[in-house]
Amino acid sequence: MRTEQEMMALILRVAKSDNRIRAVSLEGSRANPAVPKDQYQDYDITYYVTDIAPFYNNSAWVVETFGEPLIMQMPEAMRYPEGNGNFNYMMIYPDGNRLDLSFKLPKNVGEDVPSVALLDKDGLLTDLPAPNDSVWYITPPSPLFYYSCCNNFWWCLNNVAKGVARDELPYVMNMLNTVVRNELHDMVNYYIGTLHGFNLSTGKDGKYFKRYLPPELYAQYAATYSGSDYNDIWTAVFTMCDLFRTLALQVAAHFGFIYRQGEEDGMRKYLAIEFTATPVL
C-alpha cells in the first residue's frame, strides 16, 4: 500500500503541474485531528479549478492521471445527482487506498469542514478555519426532541411486532435497525453527553460508542443486534427496550425532563401480548 506521503505527493504533483488547478484542500477524517489515524482512511481531496467542464464526467483523465482503480463511482453521473455543478470521483486502488476527488470552482471554498489547505496558488484558502470536529458534536436535546425520541422509539416497536407476526423479515429488520435504532442512537448520544459533556462526537453511526459508554452498557447495546431467527429478534427487542429505558431515565434526570412511563408501559404490554400470542414461524 502506498504511504500517506506517497499519496499526498501524487495529489500535489498533479495539481502543481496543471495550471487549471488553483488550490487543493483535504477534507474528511484525515483533516480531523480528533479522529484516530489508520490505513483505512479515505483521501478526501478537493481540486479548485478555473473551469469544471474539462474535469466533469471525464473518467479517462482521472484514470490516466491517477491510475486504473479497482472500482470507481461518480455520484453526479448516477441516479440522484446533487446538480450543484461540482463533480466527484470516488476510487479504490489495487493497493487498498481510496481517493475521493472533488472538482469545484473557487467560489465554493469552505463548503466542507474540517478542511486543510494543501496547495494555494492564489490565496483562495487563507480564511479556512482551523480543522476540528465541532460540527459533529452531540446536540443537547430540548424537551421536545427528548419526548419525540422516546415516543417514536416506543411507538415504532409495534411495527416490529406486526412484522414478526406476518413473517416479514425484511420489514422487521429495516424497522428495527433503521427507524427504531435511530432513536436509540439519539438517546445513547444524549446519555454520553450527560457523562462526558456535549463537546464531543461519537462518530458516524455511533462508531465510537464503545469509547464513551460504560462497558456494561456497551455490552447491552451490542446485544441489541440479532440474527434472522425470530426468537433472537425478540430477545434483541427486549434488550433494546431495557437499554433505552436506562438511558432515557438518566437523561431525563440530568435535564429535568419528564419521562412518560405510561408510553413505555403501554408498548411493553403490547409487545408481551404479541410475543406470547404469535407463533414464531
Side-chain angles (χ1 to χ4, degrees):
M1 172 179 278
R2 285 168 292 179
T3 66
E4 181 176 16
Q5 290 74 22
E6 290 171 322
M7 288 295 294
M8 289 300 186
L10 171 60
I11 290 163
L12 291 175
R13 185 167 63 250
V14 171
K16 290 176 181 178
S17 64
D18 193 325
N19 196 48
R20 299 171 298 178
I21 302 171
R22 307 309 302 167
V24 184
S25 63
L26 171 71
E27 289 81 38
S29 64
R30 287 185 182 271
N32 187 344
V35 174
K37 303 303 180 185
D38 64 31
Q39 69 187 51
Y40 302 106
Q41 290 176 297
D42 306 339
Y43 291 88
D44 295 297
I45 299 294
T46 298
Y47 280 173
Y48 291 98
V49 296
T50 55
D51 184 8
I52 293 287
F55 304 101
Y56 198 97
N57 201 10
N58 187 358
S59 59
W61 180 88
V62 176
V63 170
E64 180 182 353
T65 304
F66 292 96
E68 185 75 42
L70 294 174
I71 185 171
M72 176 188 292
Q73 186 174 101
M74 298 181 292
E76 288 302 297
M78 296 179 70
R79 286 170 292 184
Y80 305 114
E82 291 187 17
N84 56 10
N86 301 329
F87 203 86
N88 177 242
Y89 300 88
M90 300 188 295
M91 298 160 285
I92 297 176
Y93 287 95
D95 63 359
N97 278 307
R98 172 173 160 176
L99 173 61
D100 287 4
L101 181 62
S102 295
F103 291 86
K104 298 181 180 181
L105 293 174
K107 67 179 182 179
N108 295 323
V109 166
E111 285 184 336
D112 299 296
V113 289
S115 297
V116 174
L118 300 180
L119 177 68
D120 193 357
K121 298 177 182 178
D122 305 316
L124 299 172
L125 308 180
T126 55
D127 294 329
L128 286 180
N132 65 81
D133 66 342
S134 60
V135 68
W136 295 295
Y137 283 173
I138 302 168
T139 301
S142 66
L144 176 61
F145 271 65
Y146 171 79
Y147 168 67
S148 299
C149 178
C150 292
N151 179 268
N152 204 47
F153 174 85
W154 292 111
W155 171 261
C156 289
L157 284 169
N158 89 88
N159 295 318
V160 177
K162 288 193 294 186
V164 172
R166 294 167 174 162
D167 190 22
E168 297 169 341
L169 182 64
Y171 175 80
V172 170
M173 287 302 203
N174 183 67
M175 187 60 58
L176 184 62
N177 289 311
T178 301
V179 179
V180 177
R181 189 169 299 279
N182 282 345
E183 304 299 350
L184 176 63
H185 277 200
D186 279 351
M187 194 59 71
V188 171
N189 276 321
Y190 299 154
Y191 175 79
I192 287 173
T194 68
L195 292 182
H196 302 283
F198 287 86
N199 293 331
L200 60 84
S201 167
T202 57
K204 185 177 181 180
D205 298 325
K207 61 183 179 180
Y208 301 139
F209 281 171
K210 188 174 184 179
R211 180 186 303 177
Y212 295 110
L213 282 174
E216 65 278 8
L217 289 183
Y218 184 77
Q220 192 174 8
Y221 169 79
T224 65
Y225 289 94
S226 74
S228 60
D229 179 84
Y230 285 131
N231 284 315
D232 291 342
I233 291 172
W234 274 117
T235 299
V237 166
F238 293 133
T239 300
M240 192 179 285
C241 290
D242 293 342
L243 176 60
F244 188 89
R245 170 184 168 78
T246 296
L247 302 175
L249 288 174
Q250 292 294 322
V251 173
H254 178 87
F255 288 104
F257 294 159
I258 295 174
Y259 179 71
R260 304 192 185 189
Q261 184 64 50
E263 295 187 350
E264 176 188 342
D265 293 342
M267 184 48 61
R268 282 190 182 269
K269 183 176 181 180
Y270 177 84
L271 293 176
I273 292 171
E274 291 300 315
F275 176 67
T276 57
T278 303
V280 177
L281 302 174

